[in-house]
Amino acid sequence: MPPGPKPPGFTPQEAGPDAPRDTGSDPSADRPVPGARTPSDVPPKPASAPAGPTSATPAGPTGTGPRRPASPAPLSAAPLTPPGAGSPVPSGAVTPVPLAEALPSTTGGFRTPPTLVEPEDPAGGGEREAVLSVVEPPPPAAHVGSGPPTYHSEPTALPSAEPDELGDLVADTVLDGARYGTSTLRAVSVRGDSARYRGEPRRDALLTARFGTGEGALVLVAMATGARATSGAHRAAAEACRWIGQAVGRSHERLADDIRAARRGELKSGLHRLTDRSLGKLRASAAEQGVDPEEYTAGLRCLLLPADPQCRTRVFFGVGAGGLFRLRDGEWQDIEPRVAATTGEAVVGFGSPPHETPEGDRLTMDLGITTPPSPYEPAPRPPHASFRFRASVARPGDTLLLCTGGLAEPLRGEPELSDYLTTRWSAGEPPGLATFLADASVRVKGYADDRTAAAVWEA
């Protein structure tokens, strides 16, 4: 086959011993020889060729096209120039990179990542690919609501202390936490802004205890609130927690079995009995101290958590004001048990007297005149707080919150507080102790009582 046209600037080499032979159409001439060195491994010979650059047409398919030069030119013989820039590329140089992929010398050999182009809407009104976005919880807030509270945000005055009664001192803040089974517990008790300003002790008490070992263990969280405007309110609250803790600890094995077996009736009656005994001891302690039992009392709220990971039953019981809430699917649910009360007009057979006696005598009409109290009879005591009980089964992702009135009232009265805690506690992972303390201490104007809360996150 006759050779093709010679490109401009081509200079034929003289025939010599090192000149390549014209292989013609012999296909075996371009086959690699075993043990031979490739052209890139052969060092270039000092040539007496002209100093100008030489070019060669790239080889075509095997056995066709122009002949190859005797030895490749060194890589530094000519600068790397993209095609079309004006000067040809030596035949021994590396295959030129297209201009769009050429690397500047300042990149150090790393290619700059291409710019990501936002995909356009697909034709035909098809759906675009869904993009997963992660919602970060908002930063901690000092207060929510209409404005900052009047009191200072940090403790101001310490409670008064007696040299012989240092055991009665109560810390400003108590923080605790644990993880058992599928639940993570965070508990905190904080002195209110009003007590911090006036130098009064914290009336709320908190007790967290574990009874037993292994999967048969039972975790108790007890919180109590002493009576307002009484000198021994903090002592009464602490005693109430201690009495109920001792009672539950002595019966923890039976209680744990009843919880796992879902014996709701036995649980309610047994816990009611233990609560009455504990408050009865509190009244007896008031009598020993010569204090009115109505002043030396406390509201008591408790939570039982089994350590068995197969049991997700959470049991609440107690007396007194407070709140029991559940955060499920991003919404707060007020699940505080309601005390049954008889309301409405009297009906026959339920609290109303009959119209006549069994002998047929008609009864006189009751004119509703109030009978004055007798000076010889003591005044009737106010009714005691009703016992509350609730056993609920938790779901993965739930957050159960038990708290005293200091946190329950602003949660019910200030929507911004519930919205804030929803965004803070819906991230998935339970907060740490310091984070939980900051969340539970978010202040609301008009609410300055002590706060005690225990939250349980379900894995």
Side-chain angles (χ1 to χ4, degrees):
M1 180 182 295
K6 299 178 181 179
F10 178 81
T11 304
Q13 296 182 354
E14 298 180 358
D18 296 332
R21 294 178 300 170
D22 187 3
T23 58
S25 59
D26 185 8
S28 63
D30 292 334
R31 296 177 182 174
V33 180
R37 303 177 65 183
T38 60
S40 59
D41 298 331
V42 179
K45 292 183 179 182
S48 58
T54 61
S55 62
T57 304
T62 305
T64 62
R67 292 171 295 177
R68 296 180 179 179
S71 60
L75 296 180
S76 60
L80 180 61
T81 307
S87 59
V89 180
S91 60
V94 181
T95 304
V97 181
L99 184 59
E101 299 181 5
L103 304 178
S105 59
T106 57
T107 59
F110 294 94
R111 180 170 297 144
T112 305
T115 304
L116 297 179
V117 181
E118 190 72 14
E120 300 179 356
D121 293 336
E127 297 182 358
R128 297 182 60 179
E129 183 179 358
V131 179
L132 180 62
S133 59
V134 180
V135 180
E136 295 292 338
H143 63 84
V144 295
S146 58
T150 306
Y151 296 103
H152 197 270
S153 60
E154 298 297 334
T156 303
L158 290 173
S160 177
E162 296 293 335
D164 298 332
E165 299 179 356
L166 296 181
D168 290 341
L169 295 179
V170 181
D172 178 90
T173 303
V174 176
L175 186 63
D176 204 353
R179 176 178 294 179
Y180 287 99
T182 59
S183 60
T184 300
L185 171 66
R186 298 288 182 263
V188 65
S189 183
V190 183
R191 188 164 55 138
D193 292 344
S194 177
R196 285 176 169 180
Y197 176 78
R198 303 176 187 277
E200 298 175 354
R202 174 168 47 88
R203 294 185 297 115
D204 280 5
L206 175 66
L207 171 67
T208 54
R210 173 182 60 88
F211 303 104
T213 59
E215 296 184 355
L218 187 64
V219 177
L220 167 68
V221 181
M223 54 187 70
T225 303
R228 192 183 299 272
T230 56
S231 58
H234 61 288
R235 290 192 294 268
E239 283 193 20
C241 290
R242 184 165 59 252
W243 291 126
I244 193 64
Q246 293 179 0
V248 171
R250 295 189 182 101
S251 306
H252 76 276
E253 294 181 355
R254 181 175 179 179
L255 290 173
D257 292 340
D258 290 342
I259 293 176
R260 285 192 296 266
R263 303 187 187 101
R264 187 179 184 278
E266 288 81 351
L267 277 172
K268 184 176 181 179
S269 60
L271 293 174
H272 193 176
R273 183 171 58 255
L274 296 181
T275 303
D276 286 345
R277 289 179 181 176
S278 301
L279 296 181
K281 292 182 178 180
L282 192 61
R283 290 190 292 269
S285 177
E288 294 177 358
Q289 302 177 30
V291 183
D292 186 359
E294 299 302 328
E295 296 182 359
Y296 197 80
T297 185
L300 181 63
R301 306 176 65 82
C302 304
L303 189 65
L304 294 178
L305 307 173
D308 187 356
Q310 303 300 325
C311 181
R312 288 185 178 268
T313 303
R314 311 296 179 238
V315 178
F316 156 74
F317 68 96
V319 296
L324 181 65
F325 305 92
R326 179 171 58 200
L327 179 60
R328 174 175 289 178
D329 299 331
E331 294 183 358
W332 283 106
Q333 302 172 359
D334 192 347
I335 58 175
E336 175 77 12
R338 306 301 178 188
V339 179
T342 304
T343 59
E345 298 180 357
V347 296
V348 177
F350 190 82
S352 61
H355 294 286
E356 58 184 17
T357 63
E359 291 78 12
D361 297 333
R362 302 283 296 180
L363 298 178
T364 58
M365 181 182 298
D366 185 8
L367 301 178
I369 300 176
T370 305
T371 304
S374 172
Y376 303 101
E377 296 180 1
R381 292 180 176 272
H384 295 286
S386 301
F387 177 76
R388 300 171 187 262
F389 173 87
R390 186 183 183 95
S392 59
V393 179
R395 298 179 184 176
D398 285 356
T399 300
L400 185 66
L401 176 63
L402 174 66
C403 55
T404 58
L407 183 58
E409 292 178 3
L411 269 177
R412 295 189 178 108
E414 181 54 63
E416 290 189 19
L417 179 60
S418 59
D419 294 343
Y420 173 79
L421 293 181
T422 299
T423 56
R424 292 286 297 173
W425 293 352
S426 297
E429 288 295 328
L433 292 179
T435 304
F436 179 73
L437 172 61
D439 294 341
S441 303
V442 174
R443 307 161 69 220
V444 182
K445 189 174 183 178
Y447 302 93
D449 286 342
D450 299 345
R451 290 186 181 183
T452 302
V456 181
W457 277 262
E458 301 294 339

